[in-house]
Amino acid sequence: MSIELNTNDGHVTITNDVISTIAGGAAVECYGIVGMASKSQIRDGIAEILRKENFSKGVVVRQENDKLHIDMYIIVSYGTKISEVAHNVQSQVKYTLSQSLGLSIDSVNIYIQGVRVAKD
């Protein structure tokens, strides 16, 4: 699935993988985020951190009635306030997608897949 935009200069198609990669990149820049996790990778209570090229596995982009919804699966750092981290990720993702792609995001849903203790 992809998003079709018609501009004065022509036709633009933005795939969900592009949206996922940009959203994942914006999320990992936020304070308190250790990394992205795959939505289907939770087995035996272990969540593996995704690399930059696999951010699209931890982000689900849904399009319903011309509204864009994003589900993000993240791993947070131990000792941070989870609600604040989630709110910051939501704000940052909405802002980044608005600025870089010109898209209006209806909702950003955050799913915490794990908590990691930072290594000193």
Side-chain angles (χ1 to χ4, degrees):
M1 194 159 43
S2 60
I3 295 175
E4 309 286 331
L5 301 174
N6 289 315
T7 64
N8 294 337
D9 298 325
H11 185 74
V12 178
T13 302
I14 303 172
T15 65
N16 286 352
D17 285 341
V18 171
I19 297 169
S20 298
T21 302
I22 292 173
V28 296
E29 295 294 320
C30 293
Y31 174 78
I33 298 293
V34 174
M36 300 292 298
S38 176
K39 68 174 181 134
S40 60
Q41 200 170 25
I42 287 288
R43 285 186 223 110
D44 304 326
I46 298 172
E48 201 171 303
I49 298 173
L50 295 174
R51 296 177 193 252
K52 191 174 192 176
E53 59 271 4
N54 293 329
F55 281 164
S56 61
K57 291 182 181 177
V59 179
V60 177
V61 179
R62 295 179 289 119
Q63 199 172 3
E64 298 171 358
N65 302 328
D66 296 334
K67 293 185 179 185
L68 207 57
H69 304 281
I70 297 179
D71 298 334
M72 304 191 76
Y73 298 84
I74 62 174
I75 300 172
V76 297
S77 177
Y78 178 79
T80 57
K81 189 172 181 181
I82 293 175
S83 62
E84 281 299 315
V85 172
H87 183 267
N88 289 341
V89 170
Q90 288 172 325
S91 299
Q92 185 66 29
V93 168
K94 278 187 173 184
Y95 176 79
T96 301
L97 288 174
S98 172
Q99 293 299 311
S100 62
L101 299 176
L103 296 177
S104 175
I105 308 300
D106 192 55
S107 67
V108 178
N109 303 310
I110 305 296
Y111 298 93
I112 310 297
Q113 296 289 74
V115 177
R116 294 279 168 98
V117 178
K119 296 178 183 176
D120 290 333

